[in-house]
Amino acid sequence: MTGLSDELLRSALRDAAATVRDEDLRPLPAAPPPRRPRLVPLGGLAAAVAVTVVALLVAAPWSRHPGLSLAAYTGVDYVLEGAWPPGGASVTVRKADTGRQVATVPAPAGSGGFRDSADSGDHRTFVLTTADPRTCRVRFHRLTLGADGRPSGAPTELRGAELRRRMGEGPEQLAVSPGARRIAYAGRECDPSGRGTVTVVDPATGEHRVTRLPPRALASSLRWAPNGRELVFETMGEYLEPGLHTLDTATGRVSPISLGGGDGKLRGAMFDKDGTHIVALVRNGRRNRVVWYAPASRTITREVPLPPSDPDAPTVFQVPGNRVVVMIGDRVHVVTGTRVTTGRAERLPS
């Protein structure tokens, strides 16, 4: 069976948002393990740049799982693979720089499987979700890895964090703030309206703060700011234009973000390491650009164009430290300041 690309899967989830019910979902077979790539620097780069690109790329295995695709660029040691709707019977811990399997963690018995997973920022503490569509419940579980990547024990349910919510739609429904102090979840209300919500949970106190979105709007791609107070997220929904918003979790205020208009399509957004800007990838046909947006002034402060690409090429996007790393199709672009370094990663034959 041919696997879906990240972009196609993302589009399929959005197109199906109004037609797929949680109770109709059934488990799917586990994804095949990733293959190591062959990496070839593109012509025209200076020798020193080429060496840097190869050193970066050779450590980054290609995978259908977005978290594994670019993990090695971000300084991550281990990633989890296998938590995805409609529910994985287990998750696999993999070494980011080689893709080597370190451990397998089974989902709690009777849970229906892990559906979401998110790293808290230390690359050792993860939060995973399980869901019961019959009772409209979402539960959260903490998984801690040791220095060798092996779990220090079975996942522990965060009892005070349980939500009475239906699952949302699209990618990255779950986000965990630095230190695992707060959890954000994009879901839907349990009543017939299925109205979209973003719920912020404090696992220590059990406090829940719910932000209700406009009718038909659903949230996805949640990302925390470094201060653990603000969120940036994408919105989608039937008859609605996709949009980008921030949420001040202390006040509940939702603010829209404009990235210059036109026909460009957002393909990822997250805060920079200082939390002063939101960095976003915008694609328009073959054209690609990285945009820095300052929420304080509500202005775009910088734009960096990337080399052209196939309009339908899948995309993965990360902002590690002072760099931006974008994978579009078989090319990886590393943006430092206004400088772009590009390399090519060719997949091995099946």
Side-chain angles (χ1 to χ4, degrees):
M1 181 176 181
T2 302
L4 292 174
S5 70
D6 299 335
E7 197 87 349
L8 290 177
L9 184 55
R10 183 187 184 100
S11 299
L13 284 169
R14 291 185 172 179
D15 292 343
T19 60
V20 178
R21 301 180 303 168
D22 291 334
E23 53 268 31
D24 293 335
L25 297 174
R26 295 293 183 270
L28 296 174
R35 295 182 173 89
R36 298 288 299 279
R38 285 186 296 121
L39 302 150
V40 183
L42 290 179
L45 299 176
V49 173
V51 170
T52 301
V53 172
V54 173
L56 285 170
L57 296 183
V58 75
W62 178 274
S63 168
R64 292 188 181 91
H65 187 283
L68 188 58
S69 296
L70 291 185
Y73 291 95
T74 66
V76 173
D77 295 322
Y78 303 100
V79 295
L80 299 187
E81 190 176 41
W84 190 259
S90 64
V91 291
T92 300
V93 182
R94 293 191 182 276
K95 192 76 167 62
D97 57 354
T98 64
R100 177 178 61 86
Q101 179 175 327
V102 177
T104 299
V105 181
S111 68
F114 292 123
R115 300 203 177 196
D116 306 277
S117 69
D119 183 359
S120 67
D122 64 2
H123 319 314
R124 295 289 190 278
T125 307
F126 296 82
V127 173
L128 303 103
T129 66
T130 58
D132 185 351
R134 296 168 300 175
T135 61
C136 198
R137 299 283 178 179
V138 176
R139 294 179 172 86
F140 301 90
H141 310 262
R142 184 196 300 265
L143 176 66
T144 303
L145 306 180
D148 61 356
R150 297 190 175 279
S152 57
T156 303
E157 182 176 350
L158 302 174
R159 297 287 181 179
E162 178 182 323
L163 296 181
R164 190 171 185 274
R165 283 287 181 274
R166 293 165 60 190
M167 288 182 59
E169 307 290 346
E172 296 177 296
Q173 302 297 134
L174 174 70
V176 185
S177 72
R181 290 184 293 272
R182 307 177 85 191
I183 297 170
Y185 185 78
R188 294 176 291 162
E189 293 184 335
C190 295
D191 60 33
S193 73
R195 188 160 182 167
T197 60
V198 176
T199 304
V200 176
V201 180
D202 184 333
T205 65
E207 180 186 14
H208 291 54
R209 291 195 175 190
V210 181
T211 299
R212 300 176 77 227
L213 301 177
R216 301 190 308 276
L218 298 173
S220 66
S221 302
L222 301 179
R223 299 281 187 169
W224 281 99
N227 62 13
R229 169 171 168 160
E230 296 173 285
L231 285 163
V232 62
F233 64 95
E234 298 177 36
T235 55
M236 60 181 187
E238 187 178 8
Y239 308 121
L240 295 177
E241 287 294 326
L244 186 65
H245 296 77
T246 57
L247 168 62
D248 185 326
T249 62
T251 64
R253 180 180 179 182
V254 176
S255 303
I257 293 176
S258 175
L259 297 178
D263 297 327
K265 294 183 178 180
L266 180 68
R267 286 295 180 260
M270 60 191 66
F271 283 93
D272 64 8
K273 72 167 190 171
D274 298 321
T276 59
H277 286 77
I278 292 170
V279 186
L281 172 66
V282 179
R283 300 185 61 189
N284 184 356
R286 293 178 53 81
R287 293 188 296 141
N288 310 293
R289 59 192 173 101
V290 178
V291 175
W292 279 257
Y293 175 89
S297 61
R298 298 185 180 182
T299 59
I300 293 174
T301 62
R302 189 187 350 158
E303 292 190 24
V304 175
L306 299 180
S309 65
D310 183 332
D312 299 321
T315 304
V316 189
F317 173 78
Q318 292 288 338
V319 185
N322 292 319
R323 295 176 294 132
V324 177
V325 183
V326 182
M327 182 180 288
I328 302 177
D330 64 354
R331 284 172 170 77
V332 178
H333 313 285
V334 180
V335 183
T336 306
T338 58
R339 182 181 182 183
V340 180
T341 305
T342 297
R344 183 171 61 219
E346 296 181 353
R347 284 228 266 175
L348 293 174
S350 301

